[in-house]
Structures are given as structure tokens and as C-alpha cells.
Amino acid sequence: MLNGFRDFILRGNVVDLAVGVVMGAAFAALIAAFGNAFLNPLIKLASGGGKVGGSFFVSGVEFPYGLFITAVITFLLTMAIIYFAVVVPMTAAVNRLKREDKPAEAQPSNEEKLLVEIRDALRSR
């Protein structure tokens, strides 16, 4: 039973998945810190300052739309970085490997060879 568990844990895809999750969490924290350090202050400046950038009050209830704008920008930045740093290079690598794996041009069949011989014989007359 423990051997099966060990084999499961040591499988490459489980380890890769664990590394990916940890890297994703660290990357999300980095982007969130960027949003809090740079985007929130910029939104505060653009919306006239205040405790939370980009907020309004209705009946004493605060609606901090600046936080939503920051989250949208953070999401778009994250997706752009993933696309340009992971998807584009991976697609290029896969396409390059597919081109290298293509078989050589197919050899002509016996019928095609015979037709070529007949054509050449007719041309030589």
C-alpha cells in the first residue's frame, strides 16, 4: 500500500503539478503586490485620492470600484504574461517538433512509376 502511494507521489506529472501550483501561488502574490503597490495608488490619483482609490458612497455605504479595476488590470497582466511567457514559446516548440517529425515525401506507387516510364517512352519517340 505504501509502495503504491510512493509510486503515485513520485510520478512525474504529480511532481510537475505540485511545482506548478507553488509557482502559480508565488506568481499570484507577486502580481497582487504589484497591484497594491502601483495600480491602487495610480487609481487613487486618477479618481481624486481618498482612502480607497475610486470609491463612492450611497447612503453611507462605500463602493470601492477602484479595487475591482485593480483586480481586472491584475488579471489582464497575469494572463498576458502567461500567454507571452508560456503559451507562445510552447506553441512554437510544439510546431517545431511537428515539422521535424514529418515523414519524408511519400515514394511514388508502382502505378505512378509505370506511368512515368510510359510518359518518358512516349516523349523519346
Side-chain angles (χ1 to χ4, degrees):
M1 186 163 134
L2 290 177
N3 287 336
F5 180 71
R6 184 195 61 189
D7 292 342
F8 172 73
I9 292 298
L10 294 179
R11 256 195 266 172
N13 54 359
V14 173
V15 174
D16 292 342
L17 180 62
V19 169
V21 168
V22 170
M23 287 178 63
F27 185 67
L30 178 69
I31 297 296
F34 175 79
N36 291 331
F38 295 103
L39 296 179
N40 278 342
L42 288 174
I43 292 171
K44 283 182 186 179
L45 285 174
S47 63
K51 202 158 103 181
V52 175
S55 63
F56 62 91
F57 292 89
V58 176
S59 300
V61 177
E62 183 179 15
F63 290 87
Y65 66 87
L67 295 177
F68 177 73
I69 293 171
T70 301
V72 168
I73 293 171
T74 300
F75 174 77
L76 292 175
L77 284 173
T78 304
M79 292 301 108
I81 291 169
I82 288 173
Y83 179 75
F84 290 113
V86 176
V87 174
V88 170
M90 191 62 125
T91 302
V94 167
N95 288 339
R96 189 174 305 126
L97 288 175
K98 282 184 181 178
R99 269 189 258 132
E100 292 174 3
D101 290 345
K102 284 185 181 177
E105 288 187 30
Q107 298 296 324
S109 67
N110 289 336
E111 295 164 344
E112 291 172 337
K113 289 178 186 176
L114 183 59
L115 288 173
V116 168
E117 289 176 17
I118 293 172
R119 181 195 65 199
D120 293 342
L122 289 174
R123 280 189 183 166
S124 64
R125 286 187 181 176

